[in-house]
């Protein structure tokens, strides 16, 4: 790895002399001595690997990962360019195809997920759409869980049928319906667990077993669980997708997505589609996320502790009809959540009494918690799914998903939990005084 970087950098150095004083840092002239006593990176524990996995320093020895904010790369010779295009030479070609900063984040996410390969995309929807469109063709069949992020639902219900793909939705917890839907040849299965916004938990292993019997590739959208709390690949999934916009950036700055799977599937199925349709991540966004991933575990663990505390508070509060939190015993799939997830979630859903008017009064009284449809942020955010993220669904479809007019989705942030509870009390007071 080091030798290819040196080679690339020395190529750039030579090309940049021109009218400038000759500058060839000594470190570019020869390879640094190989350090043979380095511990095996795989022997490090997860928190250490969030800082170090996939790190590839240039010979300058920078502390932080280098940001290669470049659209293209130059070649030493026409022969080298030719070799790069035939695949005989290992050299970056164009950032839509690959970039060292993006590759650095891909390696770190692979390590975190326990996946062989990762492809980063411009957004989370870029990840979901590529993961599906890269594998289906006219005449195929796709089965999806009904409770999906709004745009994922649109891809399955509106876009795929346009290209001649038959799509079937299944109520996530209905195993008989999964069995029925997966009783004929199926190309792909898409599911989300816990689901957005009501935090339904699906039996990933059981669905994967059924799906594999009919030849389907199972794609799991693991945003709500985060790579820390749920390992879909260990539960039998073939592909895992993320909106890195959420917990991975986690500070409301940049958009990004990730698709993870086997080397064969990523390289042979996903990459050709992704590269040729232009769904690639900016190196700048990758660099921002390399910084944020260092604190992923710290943030997600603290946010989850806050979420558990807030869920317990809301469950006892007057005016709150129901609380949905996978880490609470009263969650309908608590036992399953305990089996397949390492911890609850940073999200809590709850239903206030008084329908839409009650929910609006509650949200408008909040002074610390912001109203926003993003999630996974250090800042606490609430949204009213029925009138925002899930407004496009037919009312019957919303009812089926348990998205009532009083339902609120709460993405719990890093603030002091007691300040969050004080703010929720403002909401409760407004609800009571309506
Ligand atoms: C946000 C989100 C997406 C889409 O991600 P973007 O980065 O906004 O494109 C997909 N799935 C789930 C579960 C999400 O929460």
């Amino acid at each position: 790895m080091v030798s290819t970087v040196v080679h690339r950098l020395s190529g750039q150095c030579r090309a940049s002399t021109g009218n400038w004083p000759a500058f060839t840092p000594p470190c570019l002239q020869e390879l640094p001595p190989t350090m043979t006593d380095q511990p095996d990176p795989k022997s490090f524990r997860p928190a250490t690997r969030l800082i170090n996995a996939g790190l590839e320093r240039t010979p300058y020895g920078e502390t932080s990962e280098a940001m290669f904010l470049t659209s293209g790369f130059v070649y030493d010779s026409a022969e080298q360019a030719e070799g790069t295009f035939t695949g005989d030479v290992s050299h970056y070609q164009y950032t839509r195809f690959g970039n060292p900063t993006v590759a650095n984040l891909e390696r770190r996410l692979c390590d975190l997920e326990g996946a062989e390969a990762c492809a980063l995309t411009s957004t989370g929807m870029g990840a979901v759409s590529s993961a599906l469109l890269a594998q289906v063709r006219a005449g195929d069949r796709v089965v999806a869980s009904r409770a999906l992020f709004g745009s994922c639902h649109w891809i399955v219900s509106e876009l795929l049928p346009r290209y001649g793909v038959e799509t079937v939705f299944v109520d996530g917890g209905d195993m008989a319906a999964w069995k029925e839907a997966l009783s004929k040849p199926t190309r792909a299965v898409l599911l989300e667990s816990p689901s957005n916004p009501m935090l339904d938990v699906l039996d990933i292993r059981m669905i994967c077993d059924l799906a594999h019997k009919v030849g389907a590739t199972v794609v799991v959208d693991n945003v709500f669980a985060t790579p820390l709390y749920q390992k879909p690949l260990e539960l039998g999934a073939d592909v895992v997708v993320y909106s890195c916009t959420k917990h991975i950036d986690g500070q409301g700055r940049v958009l990004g997505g990730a698709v993870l799977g086997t080397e064969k599937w990523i390289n042979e199925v996903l990459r050709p589609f992704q590269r040729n349709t232009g769904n690639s991540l900016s190196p700048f966004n990758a660099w921002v996320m390399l910084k944020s991933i260092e604190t992923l575990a710290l943030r997600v663990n603290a946010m989850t502790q806050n979420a558990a505390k807030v869920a317990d508070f809301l469950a006892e509060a007057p005016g709150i009809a129901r609380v949905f939190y996978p880490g609470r015993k009263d969650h309908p799939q608590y036992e399953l959540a305990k089996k397949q997830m390492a911890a609850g979630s940073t999200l809590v859903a709850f239903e206030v009494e008084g329908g839409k008017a009650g929910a609006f009064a509650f949200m408008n009284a909040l002074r610390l918690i912001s109203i926003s449809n993003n999630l996974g942020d250090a800042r606490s955010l609430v949204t009213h799914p029925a009138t925002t993220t899930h407004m496009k669904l037919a009312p019957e479809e919303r009812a089926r998903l348990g998205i009532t007019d009083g339902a609120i989705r709460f993405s719990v942030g890093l603030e002091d939990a007691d300040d969050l509870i004080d703010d929720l009390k403002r909401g409760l007071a407004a609800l009571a005084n309506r």
Side-chain angles (χ1 to χ4, degrees):
M1 267 317 182
V2 170
S3 69
T4 54
V5 172
V6 170
H7 177 71
R8 276 181 216 122
L9 283 172
S10 58
Q12 307 234 336
C13 257
R14 241 175 288 145
S16 70
T17 45
N19 293 328
W20 300 88
F23 171 64
T24 310
C27 59
L28 294 192
Q29 293 165 4
E30 58 189 46
L31 295 177
T34 311
M35 287 187 257
T36 52
D37 59 348
Q38 285 288 317
D40 175 8
K42 296 266 175 224
S43 71
F44 291 130
R45 291 159 186 87
T48 310
R49 286 152 69 161
L50 285 175
I51 316 282
N52 286 297
L55 184 65
E56 186 182 82
R57 288 207 171 92
T58 74
Y60 289 115
E62 64 282 351
T63 310
S64 173
E65 293 81 355
M67 175 166 40
F68 291 91
L69 196 58
T70 178
S71 44
F73 301 85
V74 298
Y75 307 99
D76 286 343
S77 62
E79 287 77 7
Q80 196 188 38
E82 182 187 33
T84 302
F85 276 74
T86 60
D88 295 328
V89 173
S90 165
H91 194 293
Y92 283 103
Q93 192 173 355
Y94 189 53
T95 286
R96 172 153 54 75
F97 284 66
N99 174 285
T101 310
V102 174
N104 201 334
L105 181 59
E106 286 173 346
R107 288 192 298 275
R108 196 160 302 166
L109 286 173
C110 277
D111 185 80
L112 176 58
E113 194 67 42
E116 286 177 17
C118 171
L120 291 171
T121 55
S122 55
T123 64
M125 281 324 301
V128 175
S129 61
S130 291
L132 291 175
L133 290 168
Q135 51 175 327
V136 298
R137 54 211 71 213
D140 277 351
R141 188 162 186 278
V142 169
V143 174
S145 55
R146 194 176 296 280
L148 290 178
F149 181 75
S151 295
C152 300
H153 196 278
W154 183 85
I155 286 179
V156 175
S157 63
E158 303 284 328
L159 186 67
L160 293 181
R162 255 188 231 173
Y163 297 112
V165 175
E166 180 197 352
T167 62
V168 180
F169 282 107
V170 175
D171 286 331
D174 185 345
M175 281 327 289
W178 280 109
K179 272 189 195 131
E180 163 74 27
L182 293 172
S183 61
K184 22 180 147 160
T186 301
R187 175 72 63 185
V189 169
L190 173 68
L191 64 93
E192 200 179 295
S193 178
S195 70
N196 179 33
M198 301 312 289
L199 299 157
D200 294 344
V201 176
L202 276 60
D203 193 332
I204 298 177
R205 188 179 294 283
M206 203 172 311
I207 296 166
C208 288
D209 287 348
L210 291 171
H212 290 155
K213 282 191 191 129
V214 290
T217 298
V218 181
V219 180
V220 175
D221 185 334
N222 205 36
V223 165
F224 272 47
T226 80
L228 298 168
Y229 291 164
Q230 182 166 271
K231 303 285 186 197
L233 298 177
E234 289 172 12
L235 296 168
D238 304 289
V239 177
V240 184
V241 290
Y242 289 99
S243 164
C244 301
T245 317
K246 310 296 166 57
H247 304 85
I248 291 175
D249 174 47
Q251 287 145 91
R253 300 167 297 192
V254 295
L255 301 177
V259 187
L260 297 115
T262 61
E263 213 164 302
K264 186 172 162 60
W265 193 87
I266 294 286
N267 290 339
E268 292 176 14
V269 179
L270 189 89
R271 290 273 192 209
F273 178 87
Q274 180 214 7
R275 289 174 165 166
N276 292 304
T277 54
N279 187 358
S280 42
L281 184 69
S282 156
F284 178 80
N285 289 10
W287 181 83
V288 171
M289 291 188 199
L290 276 165
K291 298 291 90 197
S292 42
I293 204 167
E294 293 175 345
T295 56
L296 180 71
L298 285 177
R299 285 182 285 108
V300 169
N301 291 338
M303 286 154 72
T304 302
Q305 278 174 20
N306 276 356
K309 213 164 159 180
V310 158
D312 288 345
F313 168 77
L314 287 169
E316 301 300 323
I320 304 295
R322 278 190 84 177
V323 170
F324 301 86
Y325 186 66
R328 274 181 60 85
K329 284 216 174 75
D330 58 2
H331 187 282
Q333 296 99 28
Y334 173 71
E335 288 304 325
L336 176 60
K338 215 166 70 174
K339 210 167 66 181
Q340 71 183 20
M341 295 175 70
S345 168
T346 66
L347 288 117
V348 179
F350 58 97
E351 193 182 322
V352 303
E353 286 165 6
K356 178 179 167 184
F360 276 28
F362 183 96
M363 288 167 65
N364 288 337
L366 301 174
R367 289 294 168 265
L368 172 64
I369 303 163
S370 306
I371 300 172
S372 172
N373 45 277
N374 197 7
L375 63 94
D377 199 282
R379 205 174 286 282
S380 285
L381 307 170
V382 285
T383 192
H384 183 246
T387 53
T388 60
T389 53
H390 291 72
M391 69 167 289
K392 293 219 178 85
L393 295 183
E396 316 83 71
E397 187 74 1
R398 272 202 298 276
R400 218 167 156 167
L401 296 174
I403 307 173
T404 60
D405 287 346
I408 294 176
R409 189 193 72 193
F410 184 6
S411 171
V412 184
L414 278 178
E415 302 91 340
D416 190 302
D418 291 330
D419 284 331
L420 294 176
I421 287 172
D422 286 346
D423 207 36
L424 294 172
K425 286 177 184 164
R426 292 184 187 103
L428 293 170
L431 194 59
N433 295 333
R434 250 180 354 106

